[in-house]
Amino acid sequence: MALFCLSCSWVAGIFLGFKITLSWIFIFGGLASVIPIILTGIKRKTVILAGLCFIVLIGGAYRYHSILDTGLQFYNEQEITVRGMIEESPEVRDKLIHVRLKTTHIRLAEEWSEVKGTALVFAPRYADYSYGDILSVTGKLETPPRFDDFDYRAYLARHGIYSTMLYPQIEVLERDKGSPVMSCIYGLRERLSRTLAMVLPEPQASLAQGIVLGIRGNMPSPVKDSFSRTGTAHLLAISGLHLSIVAGIVIALGIWLFGRRHYLYVWLALAAIWFYVLITGMNAPVVRGGFMASMFLAAELLGRQRSAMTSLALAAAVMAGYNPLVLWQVSFQFSFLAMAGLIII
């Protein structure tokens, strides 16, 4: 119960930070000292839990404001040169690739200055860029547009992106400067994708890449349209369903090989779950499934009662703590609401 309350308070605090300014957060923080006085006549455990929830609430609001410090967007609508590192594996589309560039420096008046922010760079489809590459990019930094039927600017803002560059001049300064662990994971994902492409014909290869690895950029448009028309497009999204299959297979195999002694099957399942979460791109539904599965397995390991709603709340809190903007992503909202409905009903 305590973990559920603290997790909900953290998520509520992040939403509170979105609604109010930092000055109001200071005011709410000052009120935290009044709570123990108001709740003096209540049980000590309740007072402590209420105080902790209030502190966590204020911490969540601070966490939201901490990610809003970005200077790159103030140079929008200008021809500039920036340097930065590719922070994720580039996303392949039909005619181009999307490169998330975490900028570190900008050139102004022939001098380099530090800058913080993320730009979405649109590059030719077959350009050779990968996670960890250091790029120098020259072009017009633009504010994402708003279309009649889709607010693309708000969509990118929910991912922490406020600037775009369309087909700029790109120079690769250095290779493989990212985290060695993430480089290995992204490299493995690309090798698995190429293997599927070699051993399967099309469109089965691109379909397998989407269902198994979460790579949907290579999938032909007619295949995507067919899934949409038949109402089965959710099968293409990596989610808890895929994780439950992976976890079920690994747990059964672990019990068959090692038995139930020393809970080796639990550790094996945890390793397999998070390995799969990493190689599929760590999208919101699969991360949510990974946390929930881990909570259930941890409860099994510790001999504690397993609570689906507590697992769901903790997963939301951890994901929102890592990236507060995830609360406004449709995939996050649908995944958690659907799971909560299943638990309650």
Side-chain angles (χ1 to χ4, degrees):
M1 182 62 182
L3 187 57
F4 176 79
C5 293
L6 292 172
S7 299
C8 291
S9 298
W10 176 258
V11 174
I14 289 174
F15 185 75
L16 181 68
F18 168 71
K19 287 293 185 181
I20 65 176
T21 61
L22 212 57
S23 59
W24 279 101
I25 295 175
F26 279 111
I27 295 174
F28 279 113
L31 294 175
S33 59
V34 182
I35 288 182
I37 300 173
I38 297 174
L39 301 176
T40 303
I42 307 176
K43 292 181 180 179
R44 184 180 177 185
K45 287 185 178 180
T46 305
V47 174
I48 293 174
L49 180 60
L52 286 174
C53 286
F54 197 89
I55 294 171
V56 169
L57 181 80
I58 300 303
Y62 273 112
R63 174 61 182 135
Y64 176 82
H65 282 274
S66 71
I67 66 166
L68 300 181
D69 181 20
T70 173
L72 184 65
Q73 62 180 313
F74 298 112
Y75 301 97
N76 286 359
E77 317 310 327
Q78 298 182 43
E79 291 281 343
I80 61 169
T81 299
V82 293
R83 289 177 181 170
M85 187 186 79
I86 300 177
E87 62 178 356
E88 290 183 3
S89 183
E91 184 178 352
V92 179
R93 297 298 178 92
D94 291 337
K95 297 180 180 179
L96 46 76
I97 59 172
H98 291 182
V99 178
R100 283 183 57 127
L101 187 70
K102 186 176 182 180
T103 59
T104 56
H105 294 84
I106 184 171
R107 189 168 67 185
L108 300 170
E110 302 303 321
E111 293 185 1
W112 290 96
S113 303
E114 292 186 359
V115 69
K116 183 188 293 184
T118 301
L120 183 62
V121 178
F122 299 93
R125 190 182 191 280
Y126 296 103
D128 182 22
Y129 306 125
S130 58
Y131 165 78
D133 290 351
I134 306 295
L135 306 181
S136 176
V137 181
T138 302
K140 186 177 181 181
L141 198 67
E142 300 182 59
T143 301
R146 288 192 175 104
F147 304 109
D148 293 335
D149 57 346
F150 180 58
D151 192 345
Y152 190 54
R153 185 182 304 176
Y155 169 77
L156 290 182
R158 288 192 289 269
H159 291 79
I161 299 172
Y162 302 92
S163 308
T164 61
M165 274 185 156
L166 181 62
Y167 293 116
Q169 295 180 351
I170 301 176
E171 179 185 359
V172 180
L173 302 178
E174 296 181 81
R175 297 277 189 181
D176 300 326
K177 292 299 179 179
S179 164
V181 175
M182 294 306 299
S183 295
C184 290
I185 290 169
Y186 283 128
L188 176 61
R189 190 186 188 202
E190 291 175 5
R191 289 193 294 273
L192 290 173
S193 177
R194 288 196 297 268
T195 301
L196 288 172
M198 288 189 295
V199 300
L200 293 174
E202 287 293 349
Q204 287 88 344
S206 56
L207 184 61
Q209 290 170 346
I211 293 176
V212 177
L213 299 174
I215 300 174
R216 289 179 283 177
N218 299 324
M219 199 175 300
S221 296
V223 175
K224 295 180 183 177
D225 294 340
S226 297
F227 274 92
S228 297
R229 285 196 304 269
T230 56
T232 54
H234 62 280
L235 295 176
L236 302 179
I238 305 293
S239 64
L241 172 65
H242 299 71
L243 279 174
S244 64
I245 294 172
V246 171
I249 292 173
V250 174
I251 288 173
L253 184 62
I255 292 175
W256 180 66
L257 289 175
F258 307 110
R260 296 182 180 271
R261 290 171 300 178
H262 309 298
Y263 293 102
L264 290 177
Y265 69 96
V266 173
W267 294 108
L268 190 64
L270 283 170
I273 286 170
W274 285 103
F275 176 75
Y276 188 66
V277 169
L278 290 170
I279 67 168
T280 54
M282 294 178 289
N283 293 319
V286 69
V287 174
R288 188 268 306 157
F291 272 111
M292 291 195 67
S294 298
M295 284 290 290
F296 272 81
L297 289 171
E300 173 79 12
L301 187 64
L302 299 173
R304 300 289 297 273
Q305 183 179 359
R306 290 168 289 184
S307 171
M309 192 58 76
T310 301
S311 302
L312 185 65
L314 180 63
V318 173
M319 291 176 66
Y322 178 74
N323 177 19
L325 297 175
V326 77
L327 292 182
W328 288 268
Q329 292 181 16
V330 175
S331 60
F332 175 90
Q333 295 170 0
F334 278 5
S335 177
F336 277 83
L337 287 173
M339 195 64 216
L342 289 172
I343 294 169
I344 294 170
I345 295 173

